[in-house]
Structures are given as structure tokens and as C-alpha cells.
Amino acid sequence: MRVPLEEARFEAHIRRMTTIVRCTNCGAEYRRTEEKFLVPHTGHANCKVCGDTLESWLENTHVPIFELIKRADGTPE
């Protein structure tokens, strides 16, 4: 399937806001970005180190994605 050039340029220039989030329980650091969906999603993200909830969302089209970048002891992932 071919995408018209105008659409391809638009998709290539979509910026995603990135923030650094720290788990309030263990201190692990995550890179948080958002994925945009046409249909609302409900869910939650848990810390990969301690299992604590990082964030929950209800019927949202902007769904957060968490990437572990540093464990609580400072070791990179």
C-alpha cells in the first residue's frame, strides 16, 4: 500500500513528548512517551523492578509507554 507523499511527510514530523519518570516506591527511572490511538484504551503500567503502579488510565486515546532506563541502584537497563 502506497502512502501519498504529503501524508508520509506529516507522519514523519509528528513529535512525541518524552519525560523521565521515577517510581515512587523504588526509584527506578523510566522514559515515558505517549502513543495516540483512535479508540480509547484503559489500563495501567507497573514498575518492572518492584511491581508498583507507575500510572493508570481510563478511556484515554493517549496511552503512556514506559521504558526502563535505570534501576533504583543506578545500574542502566
Coordinates of all heavy atoms in Angstrom, one line a residue:
M1 N 0.8 -1.2 0.0 CA 0.0 0.0 0.0 C 0.9 1.2 0.0 O 1.8 1.4 0.8 CB -0.9 0.0 1.2 CG -1.8 1.2 1.3 SD -2.9 0.9 2.8 CE -3.0 2.6 3.3
R2 N 0.6 2.1 -0.9 CA 1.4 3.4 -1.0 C 0.7 4.5 -0.2 O -0.5 4.6 -0.2 CB 1.6 3.8 -2.5 CG 2.3 2.8 -3.3 CD 2.6 3.3 -4.6 NE 4.1 3.3 -4.6 CZ 4.8 4.1 -5.4 NH1 4.2 5.0 -6.2 NH2 6.1 4.1 -5.4
V3 N 1.5 5.2 0.5 CA 1.1 6.4 1.2 C 1.4 7.6 0.4 O 2.6 7.8 0.0 CB 1.7 6.4 2.6 CG1 1.3 7.7 3.4 CG2 1.4 5.2 3.4
P4 N 0.4 8.5 0.2 CA 0.8 9.8 -0.5 C 1.9 10.5 0.2 O 2.0 10.5 1.4 CB -0.5 10.6 -0.5 CG -1.6 9.6 -0.2 CD -1.0 8.5 0.6
L5 N 2.7 11.2 -0.6 CA 3.9 11.9 -0.1 C 3.5 12.9 1.0 O 4.2 13.0 2.0 CB 4.7 12.5 -1.2 CG 6.0 13.2 -0.8 CD1 6.9 12.2 -0.2 CD2 6.6 13.8 -2.1
E6 N 2.4 13.6 0.8 CA 2.0 14.6 1.8 C 1.8 14.0 3.2 O 2.2 14.5 4.2 CB 0.8 15.3 1.3 CG 0.9 16.1 0.1 CD 0.8 15.3 -1.2 OE1 0.3 14.1 -1.1 OE2 1.2 15.7 -2.2
E7 N 1.1 12.8 3.2 CA 0.8 12.1 4.4 C 2.1 11.5 5.0 O 2.3 11.6 6.3 CB -0.2 10.9 4.2 CG -1.6 11.4 3.9 CD -2.5 10.3 3.7 OE1 -2.3 9.2 4.4 OE2 -3.4 10.4 2.9
A8 N 3.0 11.0 4.2 CA 4.2 10.5 4.7 C 5.1 11.6 5.4 O 5.7 11.4 6.5 CB 5.0 9.8 3.6
R9 N 5.1 12.8 4.8 CA 5.8 13.9 5.5 C 5.2 14.2 6.8 O 5.9 14.5 7.8 CB 5.8 15.1 4.5 CG 6.8 15.0 3.4 CD 6.8 16.3 2.6 NE 7.6 16.1 1.4 CZ 7.3 16.7 0.3 NH1 6.4 17.6 0.2 NH2 8.0 16.4 -0.8
F10 N 3.9 14.3 6.9 CA 3.2 14.6 8.1 C 3.5 13.6 9.2 O 3.8 13.9 10.3 CB 1.7 14.7 7.9 CG 0.9 15.0 9.1 CD1 0.9 16.2 9.7 CD2 0.2 14.0 9.7 CE1 0.2 16.5 10.9 CE2 -0.5 14.2 10.9 CZ -0.5 15.4 11.5
E11 N 3.4 12.3 8.9 CA 3.7 11.3 9.8 C 5.1 11.3 10.3 O 5.4 11.0 11.5 CB 3.4 9.9 9.2 CG 1.9 9.7 9.0 CD 1.6 8.4 8.4 OE1 2.5 7.6 8.1 OE2 0.4 8.1 8.1
A12 N 6.0 11.7 9.4 CA 7.4 11.7 9.8 C 7.8 12.9 10.8 O 8.8 12.8 11.4 CB 8.3 11.8 8.5
H13 N 6.9 13.9 10.8 CA 7.2 15.0 11.7 C 6.3 15.1 12.9 O 6.3 16.1 13.6 CB 7.0 16.3 10.8 CG 8.1 16.5 9.8 ND1 8.0 16.0 8.6 CD2 9.3 17.0 9.9 CE1 9.1 16.2 7.9 NE2 9.9 16.9 8.7
I14 N 5.6 14.0 13.2 CA 4.9 14.0 14.5 C 5.9 13.9 15.7 O 6.7 13.0 15.7 CB 3.9 12.8 14.5 CG1 2.8 13.0 13.5 CG2 3.3 12.7 15.9 CD1 1.9 11.8 13.4
R15 N 5.7 14.8 16.6 CA 6.6 14.8 17.7 C 6.0 14.2 18.9 O 4.8 14.4 19.2 CB 7.0 16.3 18.1 CG 7.9 16.9 17.1 CD 8.4 18.2 17.6 NE 9.2 18.8 16.6 CZ 9.8 20.0 16.7 NH1 9.6 20.7 17.8 NH2 10.6 20.4 15.7
R16 N 6.7 13.4 19.6 CA 6.2 12.8 20.8 C 6.9 13.4 22.0 O 8.1 13.5 22.0 CB 6.5 11.3 20.8 CG 5.7 10.6 19.8 CD 6.0 9.1 19.9 NE 5.4 8.4 18.7 CZ 5.2 7.2 18.7 NH1 5.6 6.4 19.7 NH2 4.7 6.6 17.6
M17 N 6.2 13.8 23.0 CA 6.7 14.4 24.2 C 7.3 13.2 25.0 O 6.7 12.2 25.3 CB 5.7 15.1 25.0 CG 6.2 15.9 26.1 SD 5.1 17.2 26.6 CE 4.7 16.6 28.2
T18 N 8.6 13.4 25.5 CA 9.2 12.4 26.3 C 9.6 13.1 27.6 O 10.1 14.2 27.7 CB 10.5 12.0 25.6 OG1 10.2 11.4 24.3 CG2 11.3 10.9 26.5
T19 N 9.2 12.3 28.7 CA 9.6 12.8 30.0 C 10.3 11.6 30.8 O 10.1 10.5 30.4 CB 8.3 13.2 30.8 OG1 7.4 12.2 30.8 CG2 7.7 14.5 30.2
I20 N 11.0 12.0 31.8 CA 11.6 11.0 32.7 C 10.8 10.8 33.9 O 10.4 11.8 34.6 CB 13.1 11.3 33.0 CG1 13.9 11.5 31.8 CG2 13.7 10.3 34.0 CD1 14.0 10.3 30.9
V21 N 10.4 9.6 34.3 CA 9.5 9.3 35.4 C 10.3 8.4 36.4 O 10.9 7.5 35.9 CB 8.2 8.7 34.9 CG1 7.3 8.3 36.1 CG2 7.4 9.6 34.0
R22 N 10.1 8.7 37.7 CA 10.8 7.9 38.7 C 9.7 7.1 39.5 O 8.7 7.7 39.9 CB 11.6 8.7 39.6 CG 12.3 7.9 40.7 CD 13.3 8.8 41.5 NE 14.5 8.9 40.7 CZ 15.3 9.9 40.7 NH1 15.0 10.9 41.4 NH2 16.4 9.9 39.9
C23 N 9.9 5.8 39.7 CA 9.0 5.1 40.5 C 9.0 5.6 41.9 O 10.1 5.7 42.5 CB 9.4 3.6 40.5 SG 8.4 2.5 41.6
T24 N 7.9 5.9 42.5 CA 7.8 6.5 43.8 C 8.1 5.4 44.9 O 8.5 5.8 46.0 CB 6.4 7.1 44.1 OG1 5.4 6.1 44.0 CG2 6.2 8.3 43.2
N25 N 8.1 4.2 44.6 CA 8.4 3.1 45.5 C 9.9 2.8 45.6 O 10.4 2.7 46.7 CB 7.5 1.9 45.2 CG 7.7 0.8 46.3 OD1 7.5 1.1 47.5 ND2 8.0 -0.4 45.9
C26 N 10.5 2.5 44.4 CA 11.9 2.0 44.4 C 12.9 3.0 43.8 O 14.1 2.8 44.0 CB 12.0 0.6 43.8 SG 11.8 0.7 42.0
G27 N 12.4 4.0 43.1 CA 13.3 5.0 42.5 C 13.8 4.6 41.1 O 14.6 5.4 40.5
A28 N 13.3 3.5 40.5 CA 13.8 3.2 39.1 C 13.3 4.3 38.2 O 12.2 4.9 38.4 CB 13.2 1.9 38.7
E29 N 14.1 4.6 37.1 CA 13.7 5.7 36.2 C 13.3 5.1 34.9 O 13.8 4.1 34.4 CB 15.0 6.6 36.0 CG 15.3 7.4 37.2 CD 16.4 8.4 36.9 OE1 16.9 8.5 35.7 OE2 16.9 9.0 37.9
Y30 N 12.3 5.7 34.3 CA 11.6 5.3 33.1 C 11.6 6.5 32.1 O 11.4 7.6 32.5 CB 10.2 4.8 33.3 CG 10.2 3.5 34.0 CD1 10.2 3.5 35.4 CD2 10.0 2.3 33.3 CE1 10.2 2.3 36.1 CE2 10.0 1.1 34.0 CZ 10.1 1.1 35.4 OH 10.0 -0.1 36.1
R31 N 11.7 6.2 30.8 CA 11.4 7.2 29.8 C 9.9 7.0 29.4 O 9.5 5.9 29.0 CB 12.3 6.9 28.5 CG 12.1 7.9 27.4 CD 13.0 7.7 26.2 NE 14.4 8.0 26.7 CZ 15.3 7.1 26.7 NH1 15.1 5.8 26.4 NH2 16.5 7.4 27.1
R32 N 9.1 8.1 29.5 CA 7.7 8.0 29.3 C 7.4 8.7 28.0 O 7.7 9.9 27.8 CB 6.9 8.6 30.4 CG 5.4 8.5 30.2 CD 4.7 9.4 31.3 NE 3.3 9.3 31.2 CZ 2.5 10.0 30.4 NH1 3.1 10.9 29.5 NH2 1.2 9.9 30.4
T33 N 6.8 8.0 27.0 CA 6.3 8.6 25.8 C 4.8 8.3 25.7 O 4.3 7.4 26.5 CB 7.0 8.1 24.6 OG1 6.9 6.7 24.5 CG2 8.5 8.6 24.6
E34 N 4.1 8.9 24.8 CA 2.7 8.5 24.6 C 2.4 8.1 23.2 O 3.0 8.6 22.2 CB 1.8 9.8 24.9 CG 1.7 10.1 26.3 CD 0.8 11.2 26.6 OE1 0.2 11.8 25.6 OE2 0.6 11.5 27.8
E35 N 1.6 7.1 23.0 CA 1.1 6.6 21.8 C -0.3 7.0 21.6 O -1.1 6.9 22.5 CB 1.2 5.0 21.8 CG 0.9 4.4 20.5 CD 2.2 4.4 19.6 OE1 3.3 4.5 20.1 OE2 2.0 4.4 18.3
K36 N -0.7 7.6 20.4 CA -2.0 8.0 20.2 C -2.8 7.0 19.4 O -2.4 6.4 18.4 CB -2.0 9.3 19.4 CG -3.4 9.9 19.1 CD -3.3 11.3 18.8 CE -4.7 11.9 18.4 NZ -5.8 11.6 19.1
F37 N -4.0 6.7 20.0 CA -4.9 5.7 19.4 C -6.2 6.4 19.0 O -6.6 7.4 19.5 CB -5.2 4.6 20.3 CG -4.0 3.7 20.7 CD1 -3.2 4.0 21.7 CD2 -3.8 2.6 19.9 CE1 -2.1 3.2 22.0 CE2 -2.7 1.8 20.2 CZ -1.9 2.1 21.2
L38 N -6.9 5.8 18.0 CA -8.2 6.3 17.6 C -9.3 5.9 18.5 O -10.3 6.6 18.7 CB -8.5 5.9 16.2 CG -7.6 6.4 15.1 CD1 -8.0 5.8 13.7 CD2 -7.6 7.9 15.0
V39 N -9.1 4.7 19.1 CA -10.1 4.2 20.1 C -9.5 4.3 21.5 O -8.4 4.0 21.7 CB -10.3 2.7 19.8 CG1 -11.3 2.1 20.8 CG2 -10.8 2.5 18.3
P40 N -10.3 4.8 22.4 CA -9.8 4.9 23.8 C -9.4 3.6 24.4 O -10.0 2.6 24.2 CB -11.0 5.5 24.6 CG -11.9 6.2 23.5 CD -11.7 5.3 22.3
H41 N -8.4 3.6 25.3 CA -7.9 2.5 26.0 C -7.9 2.7 27.5 O -7.8 3.8 27.9 CB -6.4 2.2 25.6 CG -6.2 1.6 24.2 ND1 -6.5 2.3 23.1 CD2 -5.8 0.4 23.8 CE1 -6.3 1.6 22.0 NE2 -5.8 0.4 22.4
T42 N -8.0 1.6 28.2 CA -8.0 1.6 29.7 C -6.9 0.6 30.1 O -6.7 -0.4 29.5 CB -9.3 1.2 30.3 OG1 -10.3 2.1 29.9 CG2 -9.2 1.1 31.8
G43 N -6.1 1.0 31.1 CA -5.0 0.1 31.5 C -4.1 0.8 32.6 O -4.5 1.8 33.2
H44 N -3.0 0.1 32.8 CA -2.0 0.6 33.8 C -0.7 0.1 33.4 O -0.5 -0.8 32.6 CB -2.4 0.2 35.2 CG -2.4 -1.3 35.4 ND1 -3.4 -2.1 35.0 CD2 -1.4 -2.1 35.8 CE1 -3.1 -3.4 35.3 NE2 -1.9 -3.4 35.8
A45 N 0.4 0.8 33.9 CA 1.8 0.3 33.7 C 2.4 0.1 35.1 O 2.2 0.9 36.0 CB 2.5 1.4 33.0
N46 N 3.1 -1.0 35.2 CA 3.7 -1.3 36.5 C 5.3 -1.2 36.4 O 5.8 -1.5 35.3 CB 3.4 -2.8 36.9 CG 2.0 -2.9 37.3 OD1 1.3 -2.0 37.8 ND2 1.4 -4.1 37.2
C47 N 5.9 -0.9 37.5 CA 7.4 -0.9 37.5 C 7.9 -2.3 37.3 O 7.4 -3.2 37.9 CB 7.8 -0.3 38.9 SG 9.6 -0.3 39.1
K48 N 8.9 -2.4 36.4 CA 9.5 -3.7 36.1 C 10.4 -4.2 37.3 O 10.7 -5.3 37.3 CB 10.3 -3.6 34.8 CG 9.4 -3.5 33.6 CD 10.2 -3.4 32.4 CE 9.3 -3.2 31.2 NZ 10.1 -3.1 29.9
V49 N 10.8 -3.3 38.1 CA 11.7 -3.6 39.2 C 10.9 -4.1 40.5 O 11.2 -5.1 41.0 CB 12.6 -2.4 39.6 CG1 13.5 -2.7 40.7 CG2 13.4 -2.0 38.3
C50 N 10.0 -3.3 40.9 CA 9.3 -3.6 42.2 C 7.8 -4.0 42.0 O 7.1 -4.4 42.9 CB 9.4 -2.5 43.2 SG 8.4 -1.0 42.7
G51 N 7.2 -3.7 40.8 CA 5.8 -4.1 40.6 C 4.8 -3.0 41.0 O 3.6 -3.2 40.7
D52 N 5.2 -1.9 41.5 CA 4.3 -0.8 41.9 C 3.7 -0.2 40.7 O 4.3 -0.2 39.6 CB 5.1 0.3 42.7 CG 4.2 1.2 43.5 OD1 3.2 0.7 44.0 OD2 4.5 2.3 43.7
T53 N 2.5 0.4 40.8 CA 1.9 1.0 39.6 C 2.5 2.4 39.3 O 2.6 3.2 40.2 CB 0.4 1.2 39.9 OG1 -0.2 0.0 40.2 CG2 -0.4 1.9 38.8
L54 N 2.9 2.6 38.1 CA 3.5 3.8 37.6 C 2.4 4.8 37.2 O 2.5 6.0 37.5 CB 4.5 3.6 36.5 CG 5.7 2.8 36.7 CD1 6.4 2.4 35.4 CD2 6.6 3.5 37.7
E55 N 1.4 4.3 36.5 CA 0.3 5.1 36.0 C -0.8 4.3 35.6 O -0.6 3.2 35.1 CB 0.8 6.0 34.8 CG -0.2 7.0 34.4 CD 0.4 7.9 33.3 OE1 1.7 8.0 33.2 OE2 -0.4 8.6 32.6
S56 N -2.0 4.8 35.8 CA -3.3 4.1 35.3 C -4.0 5.1 34.4 O -3.9 6.3 34.6 CB -4.2 3.8 36.5 OG -3.5 2.8 37.3
W57 N -4.8 4.6 33.5 CA -5.6 5.5 32.6 C -6.9 4.8 32.3 O -7.0 3.6 32.3 CB -4.8 5.8 31.3 CG -4.3 4.7 30.6 CD1 -4.9 4.0 29.5 CD2 -3.1 3.9 30.8 NE1 -4.2 3.0 29.1 CE2 -3.0 2.9 29.8 CE3 -2.0 4.1 31.7 CZ2 -2.0 2.0 29.7 CZ3 -1.0 3.2 31.6 CH2 -1.0 2.2 30.6
L58 N -7.9 5.6 32.1 CA -9.3 5.1 31.8 C -9.8 5.8 30.6 O -9.9 7.1 30.5 CB -10.2 5.5 33.1 CG -11.6 5.1 33.0 CD1 -11.8 3.5 32.9 CD2 -12.4 5.6 34.2
E59 N -10.1 5.0 29.6 CA -10.7 5.5 28.3 C -10.0 6.7 27.8 O -10.5 7.8 27.6 CB -12.2 5.9 28.6 CG -13.1 4.8 28.9 CD -13.2 3.8 27.8 OE1 -13.4 4.2 26.6 OE2 -13.1 2.5 28.1
N60 N -8.7 6.5 27.5 CA -7.8 7.6 27.0 C -7.3 7.2 25.7 O -6.9 6.1 25.4 CB -6.7 7.9 28.0 CG -6.1 9.2 27.8 OD1 -6.2 9.8 26.8 ND2 -5.4 9.7 28.9
T61 N -7.2 8.2 24.7 CA -6.6 7.9 23.4 C -5.1 8.2 23.4 O -4.4 7.8 22.5 CB -7.3 8.8 22.3 OG1 -7.2 10.2 22.7 CG2 -8.8 8.4 22.1
H62 N -4.6 8.8 24.4 CA -3.1 9.0 24.6 C -2.7 8.0 25.7 O -2.9 8.2 26.8 CB -2.8 10.4 25.0 CG -3.1 11.4 23.9 ND1 -4.3 11.9 23.6 CD2 -2.2 11.9 22.9 CE1 -4.2 12.7 22.6 NE2 -3.0 12.7 22.1
V63 N -2.0 6.9 25.2 CA -1.6 5.9 26.1 C -0.1 6.0 26.4 O 0.7 6.0 25.5 CB -2.0 4.5 25.5 CG1 -1.5 3.4 26.4 CG2 -3.5 4.4 25.3
P64 N 0.3 6.0 27.7 CA 1.7 6.1 28.0 C 2.4 4.8 27.8 O 1.9 3.7 28.0 CB 1.7 6.5 29.5 CG 0.4 6.0 30.0 CD -0.6 6.1 28.9
I65 N 3.7 5.0 27.3 CA 4.6 3.9 27.1 C 5.8 4.1 28.1 O 6.4 5.2 28.0 CB 5.1 3.8 25.7 CG1 4.0 3.8 24.7 CG2 6.0 2.6 25.5 CD1 3.3 2.6 24.4
F66 N 6.2 3.2 28.9 CA 7.3 3.3 29.8 C 8.4 2.4 29.4 O 8.3 1.2 29.3 CB 6.8 3.0 31.2 CG 5.9 4.0 31.8 CD1 4.5 3.9 31.6 CD2 6.3 5.1 32.5 CE1 3.6 4.8 32.1 CE2 5.4 6.0 33.0 CZ 4.1 5.9 32.8
E67 N 9.6 3.0 29.3 CA 10.8 2.2 29.0 C 11.8 2.4 30.2 O 12.2 3.5 30.5 CB 11.5 2.7 27.7 CG 12.8 2.1 27.4 CD 13.5 2.7 26.2 OE1 12.9 3.7 25.6 OE2 14.6 2.3 25.9
L68 N 12.2 1.3 30.8 CA 13.1 1.3 32.0 C 14.5 1.7 31.5 O 15.0 1.2 30.5 CB 13.2 -0.1 32.6 CG 14.1 -0.2 33.8 CD1 13.7 0.7 35.0 CD2 14.2 -1.7 34.3
I69 N 15.0 2.8 32.1 CA 16.3 3.3 31.7 C 17.4 3.2 32.8 O 18.5 3.1 32.5 CB 16.3 4.7 31.1 CG1 15.7 5.7 32.2 CG2 15.6 4.8 29.8 CD1 15.7 7.2 31.8
K70 N 16.9 3.1 34.0 CA 17.9 3.0 35.1 C 17.2 2.3 36.3 O 16.1 2.8 36.8 CB 18.4 4.3 35.5 CG 19.6 4.2 36.5 CD 20.1 5.6 37.0 CE 20.2 6.7 36.1 NZ 20.7 7.9 36.7
R71 N 17.8 1.3 36.9 CA 17.3 0.7 38.1 C 17.5 1.6 39.3 O 18.3 2.5 39.2 CB 17.9 -0.7 38.3 CG 17.5 -1.7 37.2 CD 18.2 -3.0 37.4 NE 17.7 -3.9 36.4 CZ 16.5 -4.6 36.5 NH1 15.8 -4.5 37.5 NH2 16.2 -5.5 35.5
A72 N 16.9 1.3 40.4 CA 17.0 2.0 41.6 C 18.4 2.1 42.1 O 18.8 3.1 42.7 CB 16.1 1.5 42.7
D73 N 19.2 1.1 41.9 CA 20.6 1.1 42.4 C 21.5 1.9 41.4 O 22.7 1.9 41.6 CB 21.1 -0.3 42.6 CG 21.1 -1.2 41.3 OD1 20.8 -0.6 40.2 OD2 21.4 -2.4 41.4
G74 N 20.9 2.5 40.4 CA 21.7 3.3 39.4 C 22.3 2.5 38.2 O 22.9 3.1 37.3
T75 N 22.1 1.2 38.2 CA 22.6 0.4 37.0 C 21.6 0.7 35.8 O 20.4 0.6 36.0 CB 22.7 -1.1 37.3 OG1 21.4 -1.5 37.7 CG2 23.7 -1.4 38.4
P76 N 22.2 0.9 34.7 CA 21.4 1.2 33.5 C 20.8 -0.1 33.0 O 21.3 -1.2 33.3 CB 22.4 1.7 32.4 CG 23.7 1.3 32.9 CD 23.7 1.1 34.4
E77 N 19.7 0.0 32.3 CA 18.9 -1.2 31.8 C 19.4 -1.5 30.4 O 19.8 -0.7 29.6 CB 17.5 -0.9 31.8 CG 16.6 -2.1 31.4 CD 16.8 -3.3 32.3 OE1 17.2 -3.2 33.4 OE2 16.6 -4.4 31.7

